[in-house]
Amino acid sequence: MRYTPLSAATYREHRSRFRQAMEKGGLAVFHSNDIMPTSADGTMPFHQAADIFHLSGIDQEETVLLLFPDAFDPKDREILFVRETSPSIAIWEGAKLTQQQATAQSGIATVLWTSSYEATLQRLLPQAKSIYLNSNEHLRQGNEVETREERKNKELRAKYPLYEVKRSAPIMHRIRSRKTAEEIAQIQNAVNITAKAFQRVLQFVKPGVKEYAIEAEITHEFLRNGSRGHAYTPIIASGYNACVLHYITNDDTCKDGDVILMDFGCEYGGYASDLSRSIPVNGKFSPRQRDVYNAVLNVQKEATKLLLPGVFLGDYHKQVGELMEKELIGLGLLDKKEVATQDPEKPLYKKYFMHGTSHFLGIDVHDVGLWHEPITEGMVFTVEPGIYIPEENLGIRIENNIVVTKDGQDDLFKNIPREVEEIEALMAKSRKKTLA
Ligand code: GLY
Ligand code: MN
Ligand code: MN
């Protein structure tokens, strides 16, 4: 295994939180993702479904988890099904988990082969009052492809139409949004690797380098540190490209005088990190670039302080909008009088800052969470204001990852530079090294 997984005790804790939210007599089923095809006999690398991973730590295809706290026989209260391994699988694909290994990883005593899942379900359902089925209820999910979980849900509902069905997703959003200590430590591991990649990039960037060459430096640093790679497709956007919010082609040349916006984060042990930094290609910001950079940095620092237990994310985003308005007026991009009379439904700052400031971070980079309840301790957010000025070929975003504590915040990226002077000094140092 490339990474050190969380302990079985943590997965027990996650399942215990789920059980506490279930109604009496409920039986919950969670499925893995499919291994997605490409073409011919090709496949994508396996990517485990976040919820079964959160509840079991099992990072293997065809795994099924069944939680049935009120089952008559204690052995039936938690059952994990894993793909049956064989000498042939061991030769062609490498060893799969044994039942003992699956128990050690997940803390689940009853581990059966996936082939016995259907029969086990049929045996247990008569004891159940309702079935909890899981689905992707992320606010912005828009996938056209049916997941394995959706396929299995359909099959189950067709076969057992008289059972009441309940939704697991709201419970998952609740328990995943408040991270346990080991989860925060794993996000910190991911952050630390991402930070190393940023340090590497500071030494590498100079006029004439290709954006994809920077991406390669980052990927190299990720892989050599035990990450499986990027938690999302990285954005390496120089000059005007930084104003294209989802720029991922990364195929331009970085030019002298441009700023390069980089948004990248490694995945480690199933958890994401999410960093944005904007640096001058030639090692020194122009006075205007510096002003815009510092405006974004001011908003980021002030916004971070607003993330406190009890605060609603809607109010937080409104306050950040006001901070941004002030900075944009200072930069001469907005007019104070026009801002005073603007339509509050269509604030003028959105012309230069058109995305949200913060999202939940965890197993998914845009993690699930409770958007309409107050923030609580243990939630992890990004803080990522940006200013995008296409007419100046300039886009700047600065993004850190923040844990909300009892009475403040812990910045997981606190050890990597973001002040103009620090970035310029580090880039100058590496330049001197290259010239020597
Ligand atoms: N990297 C995606 C985001 O910053 O939300
Ligand atoms: Mn990002
Ligand atoms: Mn982000």
Side-chain angles (χ1 to χ4, degrees), residues 232-233 235 263-264 274 276 359 365-366 382 384 397 399:
Y232 54 91
T233 311
I235 295 167
D263 185 339
F264 60 91
D274 187 4
S276 295
H359 56 79
V365 64
H366 293 166
T382 64
E384 50 178 306
R397 177 162 67 254
E399 176 173 24

Side-chain angles (χ1 to χ4, degrees), residues 9 56 60 72 95 113 163 165 205 213 216 231 234 255 277 300 334 336 344 364 400 431:
S56 71
Q60 186 171 285
F72 175 75
W113 299 129
Y163 280 87
V165 168
V205 168
K255 293 177 210 64
R277 285 291 183 271
Q300 196 202 28
L334 292 186
K336 200 171 175 178
D364 287 298
N400 284 27
R431 224 136 286 221

